[in-house]
Amino acid sequence: MMGRGVASGEPSDPGKVAAPRQRMSLRALAHFLFERAGFNRWVPGMAGKRNQGVLCRHLMEAAAEITVKGKPLAERLYVPEQFSETSKAAAAQRRCDKLFILLPHEGQSPLAVIMGEFKICETTAFGRRVWIKHMPDTPLLIAGKVWERARRVYGADFEVLDAHAGRKPRLVMTALVRAKREHVYEIDALNLMLVNEQWIPQSPRP
């Protein structure tokens, strides 16, 4: 999952977008996790049950079976819990505890993966912020050039997302993140995967 630095320029693989100093193969990771979690196919018994809570549980269980550098991927993967107004403070604390591993240590900047449904990217006076659904209190910072490349690479996916007003598909973002400071996280690389209402990966092309 840890990539080596490459020269800057347009990404050759449309399955990943990264800052020039780092390339991460996130597309394969996203599809592999969905396959291991059973979300790459439809199961009639799951009708009406594939919510964020179920997605979180199954993806984390799948990640626990994957080893990266001798450690379970689940230790460095965060999938948002189902948002609940009554338990949002406790969920926020669990998220902070999980992402505590990102704090710089001995000159190193650890990385982790956040996987969730893309909501919106907004421009502020200080740059751009990406919002993930079920994470209303934790935006992810992103460099302007990284986001602009993402819009180009995943243009077809965004068009599909904008074109469907009824049975709206979703965009799942798999983001490699680091901490700029405590509780402030920045996207280092990202992948976007189009899925349908039942979280089954789709192709943006007919």
Side-chain angles (χ1 to χ4, degrees):
M1 189 171 68
M2 298 295 294
R4 291 181 294 180
V6 297
S8 60
E10 291 297 319
S12 58
D13 183 348
K16 54 195 171 191
V17 173
R21 63 186 176 81
Q22 190 81 34
R23 285 186 71 173
M24 300 292 165
S25 181
L26 296 174
R27 180 180 184 179
L29 174 63
H31 283 274
F32 185 62
L33 279 174
F34 266 63
E35 181 178 348
R36 291 290 293 268
F39 282 92
N40 62 326
R41 59 189 181 278
W42 176 238
V43 179
M46 291 299 292
K49 299 178 182 178
R50 283 190 168 180
N51 55 35
Q52 182 67 25
V54 171
L55 184 78
C56 174
R57 184 173 73 254
H58 285 271
L59 286 175
M60 293 306 299
E61 288 175 355
E65 300 173 353
I66 301 171
T67 301
V68 178
K69 293 189 175 181
K71 302 274 189 179
L73 175 60
E75 291 184 8
R76 291 195 175 269
L77 173 67
Y78 177 75
V79 180
E81 301 176 28
Q82 176 85 33
F83 178 77
S84 169
E85 188 68 35
T86 57
S87 61
K88 64 179 182 180
Q93 185 59 57
R94 285 190 290 272
R95 179 168 56 251
C96 289
D97 293 343
K98 182 65 178 285
L99 297 180
F100 183 77
I101 60 173
L102 289 175
L103 287 183
H105 179 67
E106 297 181 350
Q108 299 295 315
S109 295
L111 298 168
V113 175
I114 293 179
M115 177 180 281
E117 185 179 354
F118 170 79
K119 184 176 182 180
I120 193 172
C121 180
E122 63 178 7
T123 302
T124 72
F126 303 100
R128 285 182 171 86
R129 299 190 299 182
V130 169
W131 294 90
I132 301 294
K133 291 186 179 180
H134 301 280
M135 283 177 53
D137 55 351
T138 308
L140 304 176
L141 306 182
I142 187 169
K145 290 183 178 180
V146 177
W147 178 248
E148 289 164 8
R149 285 199 298 274
R151 287 292 307 190
R152 290 197 297 271
V153 171
Y154 300 104
D157 299 88
F158 282 109
E159 288 177 0
V160 171
L161 195 68
D162 293 339
H164 290 71
R167 297 172 61 85
K168 200 173 180 69
R170 315 169 192 264
L171 271 181
V172 173
M173 174 176 283
T174 306
L176 195 71
V177 300
R178 60 186 176 88
K180 293 196 70 174
R181 58 188 66 88
E182 190 172 9
H183 308 317
V184 179
Y185 311 110
E186 183 174 43
I187 294 174
D188 193 83
L190 67 88
N191 171 76
L192 289 171
M193 180 173 67
L194 190 71
V195 301
N196 65 14
E197 282 187 310
Q198 301 299 334
W199 300 94
I200 299 173
Q202 306 288 294
S203 169
R205 297 174 180 80

